[in-house]
Amino acid sequence: MLIRLALIGCGRISRRHALAMQDLQKRGRGDFAVTALCDANEQAAIERADMLEELLGIRPALYQTHQELLAEAQVDAVDLCLPHGLHHGIAVDCMEAGLHVLCEKPLGITVKACRLMAETAARTGRLLSTAAPHRRQPGQRVAHWVFNESGLIGKPLSFFHHYRTPSSPPKVGSEAVPEHVRWRQDKLMSGGGPVLDSGFHYCDSLRYFFGDVEKVYAELRSLKTGTALPFTAAPEDTVFVTFSFKSGLVGTWAWSLAAPGEEAYNVTFYGSQGSLRDTTAGSFSIFHLFERKPDQKESARLACDDGTVYTMRQLEEMHRASLSPVEEELLYPGGATDGFSIEIWEFLEILRGNRAAPEIDGWEGMRSLAVGDAIYESGLSGEVIYVDEVLNGARSAFQDPIDAHWGL
Ligand SMILES: NC(=O)c1ccc[n+]([C@@H]2O[C@H](COP(=O)([O-])OP(=O)(O)OC[C@H]3O[C@@H](n4cnc5c(N)ncnc54)[C@H](O)[C@@H]3O)[C@@H](O)[C@H]2O)c1
């Protein structure tokens, strides 16, 4: 069954989606076609159409608004790669028009936006899947296996994550700010700063490893001016969070994109019988746990109490050896290890009836987002915040202006 896809939003991440689609086709998993593209910026749509035609051999039809696309294009599903504030409105319009939706992270801009999307999926019977590639990549699959199945470090107890990555030079004047940065600096369009953007991956990965977070306490600062501005005065570039999980596990996430001085990369998870530690340097490593780039020298290792040490490569081999052929195909379809390829393939397989449900449906996407919003609610109030209170709307002061802006 050929599935016809539309790509809505042809900016930076859509390029990775296009490459992932080519990866799937090269692996003989090409039973889909991108037949329509939509972007408010005509040039962005033309560039992506050129790329997709070259990679996949079909030139999609171009639209500048999603309403035109919904009225004219013959498609089964959409892949949304839009600024965060546009996710819920366009996803709901697509589902109401009968289309299935794969939506880039974070699922919606606030908990209310996510809830609207998940409820619409349930009411219309459409598939809604959250595109979050990191937990689907080998590093995190291995870490999940270490914590939950291998028995190698016993019961997970705690984690200490400390990073300081190089800060990028400040942009001067509005002319110098590219569009993909500009909308990220507008809270009403982004929903928050790094904690909610790439931080969504981090929160989602923690939930993947250890289940739901019960409560958080967070201190957020902006250090780039040379003064420790509080979160109420400037967006965060430096964050200190303590997480308590419903399982009893506790952990800290302390990072800065702006503190002067030495870089630091230290991700350590402790279990009752050992630890799993990653000190691999990388610009996004504060958010992307165990993400090994092909050209990167990896420094992750597992140390058991009895003195045994395993490299991440050895752990990956042990994990792969533990999988049945069916499990192997589910995790790494056709040998794919790119999280974007895997999330797109999962979506297509559900549409074909070969899989039951997405790994991160609308409700799961909402729960991962709620951890990030709990961090903001704590930073704003100075209080410990229970994630369930963010989910049920009892704590929403940070999100209220965003919800009011979007009429949620
Ligand atoms: N999975 C990942 O690792 C990852 C990485 C980066 C970004 N993302 C996510 O991907 C999404 C897009 O981010 P990006 O970096 O590609 O942003 P971007 O700014 O590069 O691209 C967004 C595109 O949407 C278009 N657009 C804006 N309004 C529109 C509208 N009303 N209708 C149609 N098109 C419209 C813009 O013209 C632009 O081309 C975000 O949700 C972001 O968080 C995910």
Side-chain angles (χ1 to χ4, degrees), residues 238-304:
T238 302
V239 168
F240 307 85
V241 186
T242 302
F243 299 92
S244 297
F245 287 73
K246 291 186 176 175
S247 68
L249 185 139
V250 64
T252 62
W253 188 37
W255 57 262
S256 181
L257 301 169
E262 268 196 280
E263 293 172 24
Y265 305 93
N266 191 355
V267 172
T268 312
F269 293 90
Y270 293 97
S272 53
Q273 292 157 33
S275 62
L276 181 64
R277 181 175 186 203
D278 189 358
T279 54
T280 311
S283 54
F284 284 111
S285 59
I286 65 165
F287 311 114
H288 300 167
L289 298 165
F290 300 106
E291 188 192 31
R292 187 186 64 232
K293 300 246 160 53
D295 55 349
Q296 216 169 17
K297 190 169 171 345
E298 185 189 66
S299 43
R301 63 182 209 152
L302 184 149
C304 303

Side-chain angles (χ1 to χ4, degrees), residues 11-13 39-40 82 84 86-87 104-105 183-184 201:
R12 293 182 343 144
I13 208 60
D39 199 293
L82 291 162
H84 307 162
L86 304 179
H87 288 189
E104 258 301 344
K105 53 52 60 177
W183 69 255
R184 284 180 160 88
H201 292 301

Side-chain angles (χ1 to χ4, degrees), residues 8-14 17 38-41 44 63-66 80-84 86-87 90 104-106 131-134 179-181 183-184 189 197-198 201 288 340 343:
I8 305 188
C10 300
R12 293 182 343 144
I13 208 60
S14 70
H17 287 228
C38 171
D39 199 293
N41 176 337
Y63 302 91
Q64 263 185 283
T65 69
H66 77 281
L80 297 190
C81 296
L82 291 162
H84 307 162
L86 304 179
H87 288 189
I90 295 184
E104 258 301 344
K105 53 52 60 177
H134 292 279
E179 180 54 21
H180 72 270
V181 175
W183 69 255
R184 284 180 160 88
M189 187 54 95
D197 192 346
S198 272
H201 292 301
H288 300 167
F340 293 92
E343 72 193 11

Side-chain angles (χ1 to χ4, degrees), residues 221-229 235-238 240 255-256 258-260:
R221 295 286 185 278
S222 176
L223 300 188
K224 63 174 161 275
T225 57
T227 311
L229 293 178
E236 80 279 8
D237 60 29
T238 302
F240 307 85
W255 57 262
S256 181

